[in-house]
Amino acid sequence: MNLKENLLNLSKLNAVGSITEAADYAYNELSKFAKVERMSNLTVIGKMNGNADYTLMLDAHIDQIAMIVTDISDDGFLTVSNCGGIDLKTLPARPVTVHGKKDITAVFCSTPPHLSSDKKEYKNISEIKLDTMLGEKAKDIISIGDYVTFCCEPTELLGNCITGKSLDDRAGVAVLLELARRLSGKNLPINVVFLISDMEELGLRGAKTAAYKINPDEAIAIDVSFGDGPDISHLECGKLGGGAMIGVSPVIDSRISKKLIAIADNENIPCQKEVLGGTTSTNADIISVTRGGVKTGLVSIPLRNMHTEVEVVNTKDIISVCDILEAYILSGGIMND
């Protein structure tokens, strides 16, 4: 599979809790190039041996924002709780998939404007009911604790862009799969571990335990960040098509950031700095304080419409990330810096 095919396939699949479709796919693809193991339902670890006793870990999370059923009414309406950050104002009239005994398409209820006296603002997701159209039969198919995911097929757009759900952070996972393919069979100066982690959306939990197990000498988290769009300040986002966003922050190792930027400059690979005044809200934060501390960097892909089913990325930016990280790995990271 090429990078675009992997990204489209990953966006279609789900990975939350006991639903492992996307992780299964990533495991199978990564196993073509690296020695792989499954640490948990969703966490996948792939290893490539190099010539030095020095390990670089690359992380991208495969989990997604989703919901979980907390109540089923006698007439078939569901109440759900969110698994990760969800913008409530985007939910009414939105189709979703309920993963019961079989997958059911449901719709978040929406009051027609003709019957609504004012613009309603929801304070809790439990206020917005899901209509299954199953009526009293709903409890035969759906149980409390079943997961609910967004219902959307990825689509290619103009300008090398793709829209779909869970591109946060399937775009990062696609980078790992592409790097594994590129590095396969090459004489690597260092060991490379690919960490496809779980539960980033629930508090960076998966990368914390996996990084403790792997115990790398250095690490780079690959995630998405805010892409430019209407009403978004250029100080708070990256430009789609502008290349990899290389993180600069007090919690990020400056040697890694400087070397990534130098590689991009020397190889004429498009990139942009992402200046973060404190923590990054990515797995880089938790990896950097694992065990006695890990030298950690961050490379992000600009993404529009975050945490929706119409997230947008530019494949040129993803290729930029791959090109920079491939050169960084083949240079030995900061092993000798």
Side-chain angles (χ1 to χ4, degrees):
M1 296 283 183
N2 63 33
L3 190 152
K4 184 185 290 186
E5 290 172 328
N6 276 330
L7 182 59
L8 291 169
N9 288 333
L10 286 165
S11 177
K12 294 176 185 177
L13 301 172
N14 292 299
V16 56
S18 59
I19 301 174
T20 64
E21 300 165 350
D24 296 340
Y25 179 91
Y27 180 95
N28 290 333
E29 288 300 310
L30 189 57
S31 66
K32 296 175 182 178
F33 312 110
K35 182 179 178 181
V36 296
E37 63 176 301
R38 204 71 171 258
M39 184 173 163
S40 65
N41 279 346
L42 300 185
T43 299
V44 177
I45 299 172
K47 299 180 180 179
M48 287 183 172
N49 292 326
N51 296 325
D53 185 19
Y54 186 93
T55 298
L56 166 65
M57 183 184 80
L58 302 171
D59 164 80
H61 73 89
I62 199 159
D63 62 304
Q64 66 198 70
I65 57 167
M67 293 144 283
I68 191 168
V69 177
T70 58
D71 187 60
I72 307 168
S73 71
D74 291 338
D75 49 0
F77 290 93
L78 308 182
T79 304
V80 297
S81 180
N82 55 300
C83 304
I86 294 176
D87 187 350
L88 300 186
K89 68 177 180 290
T90 69
L91 293 184
R94 190 176 193 172
V96 293
T97 300
V98 182
H99 300 275
K101 291 179 181 178
K102 61 180 180 178
D103 287 355
I104 299 293
T105 299
V107 179
F108 274 104
C109 295
S110 175
T111 303
H114 318 71
L115 304 179
S116 179
S117 58
D118 55 8
K119 186 177 180 181
K120 182 173 178 60
E121 292 187 7
Y122 296 100
K123 295 181 179 179
N124 193 294
I125 194 172
S126 64
E127 300 175 31
I128 319 172
K129 304 305 178 182
L130 266 175
D131 191 354
T132 65
M133 302 295 179
L134 291 171
E136 61 185 15
K137 296 181 180 179
K139 294 180 182 180
D140 296 334
I141 299 173
I142 302 166
S143 301
I144 291 174
D146 286 342
Y147 289 100
V148 179
T149 59
F150 295 128
C151 181
C152 178
E153 285 287 310
T155 304
E156 292 189 51
L157 302 174
L158 297 176
N160 303 295
C161 289
I162 289 173
T163 183
K165 68 179 178 66
S166 307
L167 298 180
D168 172 11
D169 183 33
R170 304 292 164 74
V173 175
V175 167
L176 296 191
L177 297 180
E178 174 64 11
L179 285 172
R181 183 192 68 80
R182 292 187 186 189
L183 297 173
S184 178
K186 290 189 176 181
N187 187 26
L188 302 178
I190 55 177
N191 305 318
V192 180
V193 175
F194 303 94
L195 171 58
I196 298 172
S197 57
D198 184 17
M199 293 188 286
E200 190 271 354
E201 301 291 359
L202 301 178
L204 317 180
R205 297 166 62 89
K208 180 178 182 178
T209 53
Y212 187 94
K213 171 179 176 159
I214 295 165
N215 193 22
D217 296 287
E218 66 170 292
I220 297 176
I222 300 113
D223 210 325
V224 298
S225 190
F226 303 113
D228 59 334
D231 301 322
I232 300 176
S233 167
H234 72 279
L235 299 175
E236 299 178 304
C237 65
K239 183 175 178 58
L240 262 70
M245 298 172 69
I246 298 175
V248 179
S249 164
V251 303
I252 291 173
D253 191 287
S254 61
R255 291 166 294 178
I256 296 177
S257 299
K258 288 177 181 177
K259 185 162 185 177
L260 290 169
I261 293 168
I263 287 172
D265 289 343
N266 293 337
E267 302 292 332
N268 293 317
I269 303 169
C271 80
Q272 44 197 323
K273 289 182 182 179
E274 181 179 24
V275 180
L276 303 153
T279 56
T280 70
S281 299
T282 72
N283 280 340
D285 296 343
I286 202 70
I287 293 169
S288 67
V289 293
T290 297
R291 288 184 180 258
V294 179
K295 302 183 289 286
T296 304
L298 173 65
V299 181
S300 297
I301 299 154
L303 173 142
R304 285 181 185 151
N305 310 325
M306 189 176 291
H307 284 197
T308 72
E309 77 272 38
V310 288
E311 295 175 335
V312 178
V313 293
N314 189 315
T315 56
K316 285 186 175 181
D317 296 326
I318 301 175
I319 292 169
S320 165
V321 173
C322 293
D323 291 344
I324 292 170
L325 290 178
E326 180 185 15
Y328 182 86
I329 293 164
L330 294 176
S331 73
I334 58 169
M335 176 176 59
N336 297 316
D337 288 22

